[in-house]
Amino acid sequence: MKVAKFGGSSLANGAQIQKVIDIIKSDSNRRIVVVSAPGKRKDTDTKVTDLLIKYCNTVSQGEDITGIQNKIIKRYQAIAGHFGLPDTALEPIVEGITKLATQVFPSRAYQMAAFKAAGENNNAKLIAAIFNHQQIPAEYLDPKTIGLTVTDVPDDAQILPSSYEKLAQTLTQRTKVAVVPGFFGYNTSGEVCTFSRGGSDVTGAILARAVAATEYENFTDVDAIYAANPNIVPNPKKITNLTFREMRELSYAGFSVFHDEALIPAIEGKIPVVVKNTNHPSLPGTLISEHKKINHDDVVAGIASDSGFTGIYIRKYLMNKQVGFTLKLLEILAKLNISYEHMPSGIDDLTIIIRSNQLTPELETQIRAEIESEIHPDDFQIQHNYTMVMIVGEGIQDRVGTMAAATASIAQAGVSIVMVNHGASPVSITFGIRTADADAAVQGLYDTFIAHQPIEIFAEKTF
């Protein structure tokens, strides 16, 4: 049994959905289909999820909802009209969208979760109706019906482990294609709670693990995962195979195909994941699996970068002799509800890298005051505009010269390194780069490790 998830671009209009129909018909093993909300039909278009957020805000502000309500309904009507569905097929969708405006919720957060989830939920109803109209026996299954129960966090839910047994029972014995909305589940009180970013990917991974799928196919609008961001590196190489560890590292470091938490259920269940293009489904795509054959002459699988980091730099003489020094510093951040990403250190120096979006000017002032008071540093700076650039690949640790080649590549690109983190992960090396220089660093690393161009910087200069 395969689980196939289709993203918003694959379901944006009737023409795209016809491709989905052809994909499902081409393989009888595709028994569970997870759907996103309809995405953009063109660059100037608006995603249905964004329309639903506006709808929720309009309701909360007590403004006229007629315009935004009709705009959402028309998106589904346009898709139904493409396939000539009868009006009766749209009735539950129109009713569901309309009723949202008068529904009572425990809080504003639950209200927003329910509105956002309506995009996927109504699309699943519509796709099931279209499948049946196209001679694919199918049934819409609400997450509550199949037992997808989650933690009580409206906008960042996690599946309850006890759900897997119920999901397996309800999904493995069905004879029709199951069409399940992605992005949300229900808490034990019956309220809608959404997953975080990449929510439909999470649902697909959960269901794949629950039914022990032979494969989790994630259909999107790219032919494969690329070795670098195409917006930085022109025509980057396609990756044929990644390990779960590599994908996790690359996702964390800025790869946009998956959010870094999205595949965890599939990883836990050791379910192979294949990223494929709805527009070119015959192409092999990228296989993500637990293991792969390592080519020690070509160890770097991908290069990623992610901006928006801040460094908290502290110098304190004999810091290495002070028992509990780092603990005291982390306790200050924990008290202010700030998490950290990296913490490279020396005998007298330490830099804590955090996500910049956690800071406000007021909070930055508070951090400064707390550290000055508790730590008494000899030097203290808060440095903004860092980007983390990461090379990722199984076998990096075992290949002699990887670090030397990486630093030389960045130097050849005319970029200075402000931080290095190597050793915490056996499959990655992270470089802190000033954001203005990040793209040049990515290109330099790509040229060396993926394009295998020679490093020339040391031909005329010695140290």
Side-chain angles (χ1 to χ4, degrees):
M1 179 187 293
K2 294 181 180 180
V3 174
K5 176 262 175 180
F6 293 90
S9 61
S10 301
L11 304 167
N13 55 36
Q16 286 298 100
I17 291 171
Q18 183 59 56
K19 297 174 185 177
V20 172
I21 291 167
D22 296 338
I23 289 168
I24 300 304
K25 284 183 175 180
S26 69
D27 189 343
S28 60
N29 290 316
R30 293 176 175 128
R31 306 302 303 163
I32 300 173
V33 176
V34 177
V35 302
S36 298
K40 290 185 178 183
R41 295 162 292 188
K42 53 186 178 181
D43 289 343
T44 56
D45 204 2
T46 304
K47 296 178 181 178
V48 165
T49 301
D50 292 333
L51 294 174
L52 286 160
I53 292 171
K54 183 178 180 181
Y55 181 21
C56 183
N57 291 333
T58 303
V59 170
S60 297
Q61 294 160 9
E63 298 174 356
D64 182 15
I65 60 173
T66 306
I68 187 64
Q69 206 175 65
N70 289 339
K71 198 168 186 178
I72 296 166
I73 290 170
K74 284 179 179 178
R75 284 296 304 272
Y76 293 101
Q77 287 174 333
I79 294 171
H82 180 92
F83 294 97
L85 286 188
D87 291 342
T88 53
L90 272 172
E91 286 175 0
I93 295 170
V94 173
E95 182 181 3
I97 292 169
T98 305
K99 279 188 173 181
L100 278 172
T102 56
Q103 208 169 327
V104 178
F105 300 93
S107 70
R108 166 72 167 158
Y110 287 107
Q111 180 189 35
M112 181 60 78
F115 271 73
K116 290 194 294 185
E120 278 76 8
N121 198 30
N122 287 296
N123 210 27
K125 295 175 185 177
L126 181 57
I127 297 299
I130 291 170
F131 279 4
N132 284 306
H133 194 64
Q134 294 284 311
Q135 310 307 312
I136 301 174
E139 56 184 332
Y140 155 79
L141 294 177
D142 182 77
K144 185 183 291 184
T145 302
I146 60 176
L148 209 172
T149 310
V150 299
T151 55
D152 189 19
V153 185
D155 59 354
D156 192 14
Q158 305 289 322
I159 185 172
L160 295 179
S162 58
S163 295
Y164 282 111
E165 185 177 352
K166 176 67 181 297
L167 288 168
Q169 291 172 351
T170 56
L171 290 170
T172 53
Q173 303 301 320
R174 295 183 180 274
T175 57
K176 296 180 178 180
V177 173
V179 183
V180 182
F183 187 40
F184 74 98
Y186 290 85
N187 65 15
T188 55
S189 299
E191 297 292 339
V192 168
C193 294
T194 60
F195 300 119
S196 61
R197 291 179 298 163
S200 292
D201 294 328
V202 175
T203 300
I206 287 170
L207 300 190
R209 176 187 169 182
V211 302
T214 56
E215 204 167 76
Y216 169 32
E217 297 178 309
N218 194 291
F219 285 91
T220 180
D221 56 3
V222 294
D223 290 339
I225 297 173
Y226 296 102
N229 185 341
N231 295 318
I232 299 174
V233 177
N235 302 312
K237 178 184 174 182
K238 296 173 185 175
I239 303 173
T240 56
N241 192 188
L242 287 169
T243 65
F244 290 133
R245 288 199 302 183
E246 289 174 330
M247 188 69 242
R248 281 273 292 151
E249 296 277 355
L250 288 168
S251 296
Y252 164 78
F255 265 38
S256 60
V257 176
F258 291 110
H259 182 245
D260 62 314
E261 298 177 8
L263 293 185
I264 287 177
I267 294 170
E268 292 171 340
K270 300 180 180 179
I271 309 298
V273 179
V274 183
V275 178
K276 304 190 80 171
N277 192 341
T278 303
N279 303 305
H280 306 119
S282 62
L283 295 178
T286 299
L287 171 66
I288 309 169
S289 52
E290 188 175 14
H291 302 289
K292 74 173 188 181
K293 185 177 181 180
I294 299 173
N295 178 356
H296 289 284
D297 294 324
D298 195 14
V299 295
V300 174
I303 300 156
S305 64
D306 195 15
S307 60
F309 291 89
T310 292
I312 300 174
Y313 169 76
I314 294 168
R315 184 172 76 247
K316 178 75 172 177
Y317 293 119
L318 300 178
M319 176 182 73
N320 62 316
K321 300 293 185 182
Q322 295 187 25
V323 176
F325 180 88
T326 304
L327 175 61
K328 188 183 297 185
L329 184 57
L330 293 179
E331 283 178 337
I332 291 172
L333 296 182
K335 183 172 68 174
L336 299 174
N337 198 33
I338 295 172
S339 61
Y340 78 96
E341 306 289 323
H342 305 276
M343 190 166 51
S345 64
I347 58 171
D348 296 323
D349 305 83
L350 180 149
T351 300
I352 297 181
I353 305 295
I354 65 173
R355 296 273 181 180
S356 303
N357 60 11
Q358 297 183 93
L359 292 179
T360 62
E362 294 77 18
L363 193 55
E364 191 170 319
T365 300
Q366 194 172 354
I367 292 171
R368 188 177 297 277
E370 293 268 359
I371 289 176
E372 294 282 6
S373 173
E374 298 293 326
I375 305 294
H376 306 293
D378 295 306
D379 189 15
F380 171 62
Q381 300 172 38
I382 296 180
Q383 303 163 328
H384 298 286
N385 298 319
Y386 281 172
T387 290
M388 297 297 113
V389 177
M390 183 184 289
I391 60 171
V392 175
E394 298 282 354
I396 275 182
Q397 275 192 339
D398 301 323
R399 190 181 190 282
V400 175
T402 301
M403 175 65 83
T407 54
S409 302
I410 294 171
Q412 183 164 282
V415 174
S416 62
I417 299 170
V418 296
M419 184 214 81
V420 177
N421 192 353
H422 181 37
S425 165
V427 300
S428 69
I429 304 174
T430 303
F431 300 94
I433 305 291
R434 292 180 181 87
T435 297
D437 298 327
D439 287 1
V442 170
Q443 183 69 64
L445 291 165
Y446 182 90
D447 290 343
T448 296
F449 290 107
I450 308 298
H452 299 293
Q453 296 177 10
I455 302 169
E456 301 174 355
I457 188 169
F458 297 129
E460 299 177 0
K461 186 174 183 179
T462 59
F463 293 86

